[in-house]
Amino acid sequence: MSNMTNEELLQKAAITTDALASAGKLNPAQSAKFLDYVVEEAKLKSIARVERMSKGEAWEIDKIGVGRRVAVPASEAQDPKIRRGVTTSKVTVVPKEIMVPFELGDQFKQVNIEGDDVEDVIVRMMARQAANDLEELFLNGNTLGAAVLESEYMDGGSDTHYRKDSYLALYDGFLRLADAGGSVDAAGANVAAAIFGQAMRQMPTKFRRNRQNLRWLMPSDILELWQEKIAARATGAGDAALTGFDGMPKIFGVPAVDVPLMPFESRVVEHVTLNGTTAVNLRYAPVKDVVVTPSTLGVVPTAAYISATDYTVSLANGTIVRIGGGAITDGQVVKVTYTARPQILLTALQNLIIVLAKEITIEKDRDIFRGVNQYAIRMTAGVGIEEDTALVKVKNLGTSV
């Protein structure tokens, strides 16, 4: 995150209760400042391509490429009889509306240390958290919707029953979209030059000719592990890794960026069909913290299926098997949510696309019976990838040096 003080962050949010226009819609200048704030807080701001759009159903970008050699031999006064063309396609991003609902009670306003300014402070704090939540969605979204304990999703929820994480299910984030690009399975190996080298070789040569136009994206702890490994070397690079880099560290000439909201160990969700007692391979291995629920899991709290009664799972191999006679019927599709080992991405700059609608609303209402002011911040955002082949995912990394 940035090194700005809390006071500076609140000021840059540019959102106060007095700034609301009619019907809660911010004017263009206020919306622009809010979006500037959201983008500035995002660790991906210098890597992704950020587009601002008018509110609508979808956003499209035209792609133009050549895809093959265009030069041919030339002979004097002769037509080569060959014509080269270009290929065209579109990338479509369908943004989704997101709301931040909260309320502020009269009693809290009276006793807090901020005094009469507390309302503005809370609104700005919520705006800052909304920026963090957006980046979490940009990275970790999965339309299948992971099964999470209700108590993890909302205060006062059940500690034993699960519901769908409907927020991260709004759309697939960059980690899921990266499955369409290149892939390297570290198979549990810790971060090392060989792993990074494999990822580089998965990237087409035309994208890695200029390595300054590439970026490694990784969880903060993975970058720390790499620096710890380098620091063990009795070299100048080892000293630099130990005392701190002046700028971003480089791996094979590519700057490495730690992304705090990129999870060290990822929560993965997939739907699998369990036929008979045939083992099904999950996308990752090894796995842990496996939860199996109906694929139709929604917002209603539901008990999970029972391990060793309804199914068995091999954590080491990343496989799941139905147990006959249990609650899972033959041929049933189930939702499998689990924790996988760390992942990192190698991408070309501006290849990741973030789309933000220009229109922002902050609406306020009053519940006179409960003595609270209620607020709702509404924004629209989406993500996409311009070129799948300019993105490589490394999965199943080890968790130590």
Side-chain angles (χ1 to χ4, degrees):
M1 302 300 293
S2 63
N3 295 319
M4 292 185 292
T5 65
N6 288 336
E7 290 75 19
E8 289 171 328
L9 287 168
L10 295 179
Q11 290 171 5
K12 294 184 79 65
I15 301 297
T16 68
T17 52
D18 292 335
L20 302 184
S22 60
K25 181 179 177 180
L26 301 186
N27 64 41
Q30 292 164 344
S31 291
K33 286 185 178 181
F34 183 92
L35 292 178
D36 286 343
Y37 171 74
V38 169
V39 172
E40 185 166 347
E41 279 297 284
K43 190 73 174 185
L44 299 174
K45 66 179 180 181
S46 61
I47 300 162
R49 172 179 176 175
V50 180
E51 298 284 351
R52 304 186 186 191
M53 54 167 274
S54 298
K55 192 172 182 180
E57 290 299 319
W59 180 87
E60 292 184 339
I61 175 174
D62 291 319
K63 292 173 53 178
I64 302 177
V66 292
R68 63 163 62 188
R69 180 189 300 154
V70 295
V72 298
S75 299
E76 186 175 355
Q78 290 187 22
D79 186 334
K81 306 297 184 182
I82 297 174
R83 300 292 184 267
R84 298 304 194 196
V86 298
T87 59
T88 61
S89 59
K90 292 181 181 291
V91 175
T92 302
V93 178
V94 182
K96 301 290 186 180
E97 188 173 34
I98 298 161
M99 180 173 65
V100 181
F102 61 100
E103 57 186 27
L104 185 61
D106 293 344
Q107 185 175 5
F108 175 78
K109 291 169 60 177
Q110 294 170 1
V111 301
N112 82 91
I113 60 175
E114 296 288 347
D116 293 338
D117 295 331
V118 66
E119 196 167 27
D120 291 343
V121 170
I122 295 297
V123 170
R124 294 178 187 180
M125 288 176 64
M126 287 293 178
R128 181 186 182 190
Q129 184 58 46
N132 290 337
D133 292 347
L134 277 173
E135 186 161 27
E136 181 187 15
L137 177 59
F138 296 161
L139 288 164
N140 306 315
N142 189 315
T143 54
L144 296 181
V148 295
L149 283 171
E150 190 188 28
S151 58
E152 180 182 341
Y153 194 85
M154 56 190 296
D155 294 337
S158 170
D159 289 325
T160 59
H161 284 53
Y162 293 82
R163 59 159 290 166
K164 180 179 179 179
D165 187 340
S166 54
Y167 174 67
L168 290 185
L170 282 172
Y171 45 75
D172 288 334
F174 293 131
L175 285 172
R176 185 71 181 99
L177 293 174
D179 289 333
S183 177
V184 172
D185 190 343
N190 295 321
V191 286
I195 299 297
F196 291 116
Q198 289 180 55
M200 289 295 297
R201 290 188 291 275
Q202 283 286 316
M203 178 75 70
T205 306
K206 64 181 179 180
F207 295 119
R208 53 185 163 100
R209 290 176 62 186
N210 183 355
R211 301 194 177 192
Q212 284 298 314
N213 285 336
L214 300 177
R215 290 294 184 273
W216 299 105
L217 305 182
M218 59 188 70
S220 299
D221 287 350
I222 289 295
L223 186 56
E224 291 288 344
L225 289 172
W226 172 250
Q227 291 180 257
E228 185 177 344
K229 181 184 289 287
I230 297 300
R233 301 168 56 192
T235 64
D239 289 341
L242 185 62
T243 59
F245 288 95
D246 182 14
M248 289 182 288
K250 292 183 178 180
I251 305 171
F252 288 116
V254 176
V257 181
D258 69 304
V259 184
L261 291 179
M262 195 171 175
F264 180 59
E265 294 184 299
S266 301
R267 175 177 282 165
V268 179
V269 56
E270 52 184 300
H271 287 179
V272 299
T273 303
L274 299 181
N275 290 311
T277 55
T278 301
V280 177
N281 292 316
L282 300 174
R283 292 202 310 272
Y284 298 86
V287 299
K288 63 180 183 180
D289 306 326
V290 177
V291 176
V292 181
T293 58
S295 61
T296 55
L297 181 72
V299 298
V300 177
T302 302
Y305 292 118
I306 302 172
S307 177
T309 299
D310 301 320
Y311 67 92
T312 58
V313 63
S314 170
L315 299 179
N317 297 325
T319 59
I320 182 171
V321 180
R322 168 184 169 270
I323 295 178
I328 300 175
T329 60
D330 190 11
Q332 182 177 342
V333 179
V334 296
K335 182 189 299 291
V336 184
T337 304
Y338 56 91
T339 301
R341 285 189 170 185
Q343 306 170 47
I344 63 176
L345 298 178
L346 173 63
T347 185
L349 285 175
Q350 307 296 300
N351 188 39
L352 309 181
I353 301 170
I354 296 173
V355 177
L356 299 169
K358 296 177 182 179
E359 295 181 8
I360 308 291
T361 62
I362 302 181
E363 297 176 287
K364 174 182 176 181
D365 202 358
R366 175 75 177 167
D367 187 330
I368 60 174
F369 298 106
R370 295 175 54 230
V372 297
N373 288 338
Q374 300 173 325
Y375 302 86
I377 303 175
R378 294 177 184 270
M379 63 197 80
T380 305
V383 296
I385 297 175
E386 182 167 349
E387 188 62 60
D388 292 340
T389 58
L391 182 61
V392 178
K393 175 194 280 190
V394 179
K395 62 181 183 179
N396 296 327
L397 277 166
T399 57
S400 63
V401 178

